């Protein structure tokens, strides 16, 4: 059945099926993604979806005796008999479908629903861990340097500012959920116990003014806040605050509009809750001939990804480089606009040049609001790429040792802009992983999968018996594409045995087709499939920057390989090549239900960070719990850079309320008291015991 038909059928089902009578009260508990998956367990065959956010029933957060609203609209979906994509198994799904975007702002687009549902089904079929983690401590977890009484009165004040329905206490068991139904209470891909990196509460401001009011509130009560846009920074900490008990400011729930689409300027202006799926949808609806630039997975926030300096795969793949203009709430609550946005248009309108010129006049600040805790970005301008003809292809290379030579071929092609997007180079093992089959389907052994096993399976797949796979795309007119491909064939052909494979050469469920989409501006869900490698999988990204040069790339490769071998992990390197450098992404997949494996994953990350730093290489981005260690590797001139960060932090955020510890930047209030989590340190400063140790020194004098 087509997606449209499916949606129609679901709409019909929505009208005809009523949820059980106790559903409204249940929904009152929580309105987050977490709650969505909690609901699943109540109604195994149905899925209850929420009405739009402004219609959400109010949640009593202090008194539980508020009246239960009587007019909640439910739509339901029959989760049985749902359609399967071609890639999925033939079994009927036993898990409910994820919410679609029309029904929930961070949902899946309806055209991807069947595939997302199948992907969820495949992942959940491997799950052996319990669905919820029950917590054995007084809840909610308090932020540091406060008392329960003070916290309660602060939360009462916050409820008065935002309305009680927009404040939600994190006092339920934790649910990791799934990609679409992700939690905003903790890190779904926890490295430490799930209960460590948790918030005390989440709040949902509905405008820049309300964000500013929340920031002023945080200053008044000295409560640490942790803003998220969507909260899908999975592999880097998800929605989890660095400081235990922070209040998560979930911007996306009520601020998720595409504010402008400009078909002449080829630009847009978005709010934090706009995902790549949503921006794509709006551009399509507008009929304008523009592309967005999605990362591998489309569920992330455009703002969130850009301010974490994420990457996509069209000609506009460097997201920060293609942003134009920000609106930022500073840690004191002041609101600024950067670039041309500083110059107001007539009659209180936005500057007509805000999305046209990045720099404005005077110092250019936008960079300090990325990977930082210096401000909350509430609006962001992005440039959009004009639609064009395109051709995606893969090139396979036969020998493990070809790696260096491949890099040497790629660099000049990119510097000369023959290749203009962000192409990927992957190891052959990833061809196995992106089939979505578990590792156990290929090999039953323990330890790292042997090269011969990979070879045996690859030789039966479209990639054949190869070692490396390059995914490239060329753009332009048909003639330009043909010319560029000719050059690529000559250049890659210099490596003996290089083989070009085009989309028409592979079956419809091959990963190459999802590269065609991503590299032509169509957001995808396919990349999740390598998460099936292990049961209960979480993933971590080790993401050093390498020059696009043979020797550097090899040095890093050898370090990463040696340490993966030492800790017993299969190695999934994806090189995202951005001209003169490569984002060297090693995806570490681990079983969240296996304590030993989690500890090895952490140790493996720590050692890779250290060993790379020793020879001069550093990460472009990292998991929130590894940020202190990574920040310390940027130590040139006796940590001069960190000292500069700290000067800015203390000036902009004197009370230290905004995301303390983000990117390793601690405000004065927290600095040098033991919060920093360094490599040679076995403490876990997000654990209850360590937080207690740190704070009790000060608690007598401060409280
Ligand atoms: C990927 C790429 C990234 C990143 C995390 C994951 C790709 C995975 C270029 O940056 O930070 C397939």
């Amino acid at each position: 059945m087509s997606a449209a038909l499916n949606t129609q059928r679901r709409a019909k089902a929505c009208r005809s099926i009523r949820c059980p009578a106790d559903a409204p009260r249940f929904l009152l508990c929580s309105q987050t993604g977490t709650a969505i998956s909690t609901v699943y367990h109540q109604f195994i065959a149905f899925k209850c979806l929420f009405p739009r956010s402004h219609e959400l029933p109010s949640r009593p957060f202090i008194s539980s005796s508020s009246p239960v609203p009587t007019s909640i609209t439910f739509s339901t979906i029959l989760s049985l008999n749902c359609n399967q994509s071609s890639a999925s198994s033939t079994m009927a799904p036993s898990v409910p479908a994820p919410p679609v975007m029309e029904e929930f702002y961070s949902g899946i687009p309806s055209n991807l629903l069947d595939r997302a549902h199948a992907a969820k089904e495949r992942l959940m079929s491997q799950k052996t861990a319990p669905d919820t983690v029950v917590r054995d401590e007084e809840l909610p977890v308090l932020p540091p340097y406060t008392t329960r009484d003070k916290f309660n009165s602060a939360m009462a004040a916050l409820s008065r500012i935002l309305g009680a329905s927009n404040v939600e206490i994190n006092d339920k068991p934790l649910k990791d959920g799934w990609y679409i139904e992700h939690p905003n209470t903790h890190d779904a891909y926890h490295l430490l116990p799930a209960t460590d990196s948790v918030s005390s509460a989440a709040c949902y401001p509905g405008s820049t003014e309300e964000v500013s009011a929340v920031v002023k509130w945080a200053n008044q009560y000295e409560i640490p806040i942790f803003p998220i846009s969507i909260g899908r920074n999975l592999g880097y900490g998800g929605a989890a605050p660095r400081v235990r008990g922070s209040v998560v400011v979930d911007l996306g729930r009520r601020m998720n509009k595409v504010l402008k689409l400009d078909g002449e300027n080829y630009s847009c202006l978005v709010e934090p809750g706009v995902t790549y799926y949503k921006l794509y949808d709006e551009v399509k609806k507008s009929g304008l001939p523009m592309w967005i630039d999605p990362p591998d997975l489309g569920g992330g926030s455009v703002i969130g990804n850009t301010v974490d300096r994420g990457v996509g795969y069209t000609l506009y793949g460097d997201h920060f480089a293609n942003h134009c203009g920000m609106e930022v709430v500073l840690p004191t609550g002041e609101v600024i606009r950067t670039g041309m946005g500083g110059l107001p248009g007539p009659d209180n309108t936005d500057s007509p040049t805000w999305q046209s010129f990045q720099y404005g006049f005077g110092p250019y600040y936008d960079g300090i609001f990325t990977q930082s805790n210096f401000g909350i970005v509430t609006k962001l301008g992005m440039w959009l790429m004009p639609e064009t003809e395109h051709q995606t292809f893969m090139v396979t290379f036969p020998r493990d040792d070809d790696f260096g030579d491949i890099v040497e071929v790629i660099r000049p092609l990119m510097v000369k802009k023959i290749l203009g997007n962000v192409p990927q180079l992957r190891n052959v093992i990833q061809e196995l992983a992106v089939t979505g089959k578990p590792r156990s389907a290929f090999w039953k052994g323990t330890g790292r999968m042997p090269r011969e096993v990979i070879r045996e399976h690859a030789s039966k797949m479209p990639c054949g018996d190869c070692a490396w796979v390059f995914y490239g795309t060329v753009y332009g007119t048909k003639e330009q594409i043909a010319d560029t491909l000719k050059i690529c064939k000559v250049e890659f052909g210099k490596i003996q045995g290089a083989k070009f494979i085009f989309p028409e050469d592979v079956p419809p469920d091959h990963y190459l087709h999802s590269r065609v989409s991503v590299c032509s501006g169509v957001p995808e869900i396919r990349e999740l499939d390598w998460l099936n490698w292990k049961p209960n999988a979480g993933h971590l990204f080790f993401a050093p920057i390498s020059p696009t040069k043979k020797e550097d790339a090899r040095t890093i490769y050898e370090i990463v390989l040696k340490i993966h071998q030492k800790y017993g992990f299969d190695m999934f390197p994806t090189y995202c090549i951005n001209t003169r450098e490569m984002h060297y992404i090693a995806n570490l997949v681990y079983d969240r239900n296996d304590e030993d494996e989690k500890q090895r994953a952490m140790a493996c990350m720590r050692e890779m960070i250290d060993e790379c730093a020793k020879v001069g290489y550093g990460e472009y981005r990292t998991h929130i719990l590894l940020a202190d260690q990574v920040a310390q590797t940027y130590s040139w001139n006796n940590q001069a850079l960190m000292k500069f960060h700290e000067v800015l932090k203390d000036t902009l955020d004197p009370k230290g309320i905004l995301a303390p510890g983000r990117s390793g930047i601690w405000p004065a209030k927290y600095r040098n008291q033991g919060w920093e989590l360094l490599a040679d340190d076995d403490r876990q400063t997000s654990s209850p015991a360590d937080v207690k140790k740190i704070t009790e020194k000060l608690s007598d004098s401060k409280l």
Side-chain angles (χ1 to χ4, degrees):
M1 199 190 291
S2 74
L5 263 173
N6 195 26
T7 310
Q8 270 176 21
R9 191 190 59 179
R10 284 172 30 172
K12 215 164 151 193
C14 296
R15 286 191 292 274
S16 60
I17 300 171
R18 290 275 165 271
C19 281
D22 65 340
R25 193 144 34 96
F26 184 79
L27 285 169
L28 281 178
C29 303
S30 165
Q31 289 120 23
T32 64
T34 322
I36 297 176
S37 36
T38 310
V39 171
Y40 290 159
H41 290 270
Q42 296 290 305
F43 315 118
I44 291 160
F46 305 127
K47 184 163 74 73
C48 296
L49 290 160
F50 299 116
R52 264 163 303 162
S53 54
H54 63 260
E55 297 164 354
L56 284 168
S58 63
R59 179 199 178 277
F61 94 84
I62 289 175
S63 135
S64 57
S65 58
S66 302
V68 174
T70 49
S71 60
I72 298 172
T73 352
F74 286 105
S75 51
T76 56
I77 299 169
L78 282 172
S79 71
L80 297 170
N81 309 320
C82 252
N83 302 304
Q84 295 289 289
S85 78
S86 56
S88 72
S89 74
T90 50
M91 271 165 49
S94 59
V95 297
V100 292
M101 207 167 53
E102 290 78 4
E103 293 154 319
F104 199 69
Y105 74 101
S106 64
I108 190 83
S110 22
N111 68 315
L112 290 179
L113 176 65
D114 292 347
R115 283 171 47 200
H117 194 177
K120 182 178 173 185
E121 168 71 18
R122 282 196 295 277
L123 197 76
M124 293 300 172
S125 71
Q126 288 214 68
K127 191 165 174 217
T128 60
D131 280 333
T132 56
V133 175
V134 178
R135 294 186 281 171
D136 182 22
E137 61 185 314
E138 195 179 352
L139 298 175
V141 163
L142 289 183
Y145 313 122
T146 192
T147 62
R148 204 159 285 279
D149 279 353
K150 280 188 185 174
F151 177 77
N152 285 343
S153 49
M155 295 316 283
L158 186 59
S159 285
R160 287 193 294 274
I161 295 166
L162 295 179
S165 61
N166 295 313
V167 178
E168 187 174 23
I169 297 292
N170 179 6
D171 56 2
K172 309 288 175 305
L174 299 173
K175 290 182 65 72
D176 293 341
W178 184 63
Y179 181 66
I180 294 297
E181 303 100 322
H182 65 288
N184 68 359
T185 47
H186 68 292
D187 182 5
Y189 293 166
H190 32 89
L191 255 178
L192 302 177
T195 51
D196 275 14
S197 297
V198 295
S199 64
S200 54
C203 70
Y204 303 99
S207 63
T208 300
E209 293 68 36
E210 286 194 355
V211 175
S212 168
V214 169
V215 167
K216 287 177 181 160
W217 163 87
N219 275 282
Q220 186 185 341
Y221 292 93
E222 295 200 31
I223 302 252
I225 55 174
F226 191 83
I228 60 171
S229 296
I230 290 285
R232 287 196 184 119
N233 202 15
L234 295 163
Y236 291 120
R242 173 64 178 85
V243 167
R244 208 165 187 265
S246 297
V247 171
V248 163
V249 182
D250 188 336
L251 303 160
R253 171 74 69 86
R254 295 171 67 216
M255 299 169 72
N256 50 44
K257 281 191 286 301
V258 176
L259 299 169
K260 280 180 208 164
L261 276 181
D262 185 335
E264 293 164 309
N265 199 45
Y266 286 84
S267 65
C268 65
L269 182 70
V270 298
E271 292 188 317
V274 174
T275 62
Y276 289 94
Y277 292 141
K278 173 138 175 185
L279 183 58
Y280 173 77
D281 198 51
E282 298 269 321
V283 172
K284 277 285 135 194
K285 280 187 197 145
S286 75
L288 293 166
M290 314 195 287
W291 282 0
I292 69 158
D293 183 275
D296 291 276
L297 287 167
S301 156
V302 175
I303 288 189
N305 182 284
T306 305
V307 302
D308 219 30
R309 297 201 294 267
V311 169
Y313 299 98
T314 74
L315 299 178
Y316 286 32
D318 180 341
H319 290 165
F320 182 72
N322 286 288
H323 95 283
C324 192
M326 288 176 170
E327 179 182 86
V328 186
V329 178
L330 298 177
T332 48
E334 199 84 56
V335 184
I336 63 168
R337 288 185 175 185
T338 66
M340 298 306 288
L343 195 159
D347 305 320
N348 245 345
T349 55
D350 296 345
S351 161
T353 51
W354 196 16
Q355 271 66 65
S356 298
F357 180 61
Q358 292 171 310
Y359 309 128
F361 176 79
Y364 178 64
Y365 290 116
D366 295 34
I368 73 164
F369 300 116
T370 65
Q371 291 192 6
S372 80
N373 46 18
F374 299 156
I376 302 176
V377 179
T378 48
K379 292 187 179 71
L380 181 79
M382 287 299 294
W383 289 336
L384 299 171
M385 185 176 146
E387 249 178 41
T388 172
E389 302 277 339
H390 55 96
Q391 176 68 56
T392 295
F393 57 92
M394 58 198 268
V395 192
T396 61
F397 304 94
R399 290 164 300 268
D400 293 352
D401 268 358
D402 287 334
F403 178 62
D405 295 336
I406 302 167
V407 171
E408 289 298 302
V409 169
I410 293 170
R411 187 185 58 251
L413 287 174
M414 294 207 66
V415 175
K416 293 175 191 168
K417 296 204 183 294
I418 293 163
L419 291 174
N421 72 331
V422 177
Q424 285 189 349
L425 178 64
R426 296 174 171 231
N427 189 269
V428 62
I429 192 175
Q430 280 141 291
E431 294 295 306
L432 273 57
V434 291
T435 61
K437 290 182 192 149
R439 183 184 128 103
S440 56
F442 298 102
W443 192 56
K444 302 268 184 263
T446 53
R448 289 162 47 82
M449 184 180 280
R451 182 69 180 93
E452 310 78 65
V453 174
I454 302 168
R455 187 181 303 283
E456 179 199 322
H457 290 285
S459 51
K460 289 178 260 165
M461 294 167 58
C463 62
D465 174 9
C466 67
W468 296 98
V469 185
F470 177 81
Y471 284 95
T473 306
V474 294
Y475 304 86
T477 62
K478 286 205 163 60
E479 294 74 24
Q480 286 170 323
I481 288 172
D483 281 351
T484 311
L485 275 177
K486 238 183 268 167
I487 301 171
C488 291
K489 282 182 177 167
V490 170
E491 294 306 313
F492 284 118
K494 290 176 181 166
I495 297 164
Q496 216 187 9
K499 230 172 38 200
F500 272 69
I501 300 175
F502 290 90
E504 60 271 23
D505 304 332
V506 297
D509 63 350
H510 193 278
Y511 176 73
L512 178 55
H513 299 289
S514 75
R515 277 334 289 170
V516 174
S517 297
V518 170
C519 297
S520 62
V522 182
E524 264 286 344
I525 183 101
R526 180 67 189 260
E527 199 66 43
L528 269 180
D529 271 352
W530 46 256
L531 211 56
N532 293 351
W533 198 246
K534 288 189 175 169
N536 315 302
H539 65 73
L540 271 167
F541 297 123
F542 176 62
I545 296 293
S546 165
T548 314
K549 294 179 186 174
K550 180 176 191 159
E551 291 311 322
D552 301 87
R554 276 211 177 140
T555 303
I556 300 177
Y557 179 81
E558 294 302 330
I559 292 171
V560 173
L561 176 62
K562 187 185 74 195
I563 299 170
H564 273 60
Q565 284 167 339
K566 173 171 170 187
Y567 290 99
F569 287 104
D570 295 319
M571 178 172 164
F572 298 116
T574 301
Y575 304 93
C576 305
I577 308 150
N578 185 17
T579 313
R580 292 167 176 82
E581 60 80 25
M582 307 192 286
H583 287 42
Y584 205 128
I585 310 292
N587 308 340
L588 196 70
V589 182
Y590 63 97
D591 181 346
R592 281 172 291 178
N593 205 35
D594 181 335
E595 264 321 305
D596 174 63
E597 198 164 303
K598 280 172 98 165
Q599 277 171 23
R600 279 188 285 123
M602 185 64 137
C604 182
M605 290 292 284
R606 289 210 170 288
E607 199 163 321
M608 289 190 292
I609 295 166
D610 272 355
E611 291 302 307
C612 280
K614 275 186 200 156
V615 287
Y617 303 104
E619 285 67 57
Y620 98 100
R621 182 177 178 187
T622 198
H623 190 281
I624 189 140
L625 291 173
L626 295 164
D628 290 312
Q629 187 189 350
V630 169
Q632 290 243 336
T633 64
Y634 286 73
S635 62
W636 187 81
N637 192 17
N638 195 22
Q639 299 288 346
L641 187 59
M642 180 50 78
K643 288 177 197 161
F644 183 64
H645 296 332
E646 289 172 352
V647 168
L648 288 181
K649 182 64 179 165
D650 293 342
T651 308
L652 295 171
D653 185 8
K655 300 253 184 192
I657 52 97
L658 185 57
R662 177 83 167 88
S663 290
I665 305 165
W666 292 94
K669 183 175 174 181
Y670 292 74
R671 203 174 297 145
N672 301 326
Q673 290 169 39
W675 287 97
E676 297 85 353
L677 189 53
L678 300 170
D680 51 1
D681 189 338
D682 60 1
R683 286 174 319 114
Q684 301 177 348
T685 64
S686 59
S687 79
D690 281 315
V691 169
K692 188 158 172 257
K693 241 182 274 165
I694 295 166
T695 53
E696 70 192 359
K697 289 185 280 189
L698 287 160
S699 54
D700 291 345
S701 54
K702 283 239 169 179
L703 296 181

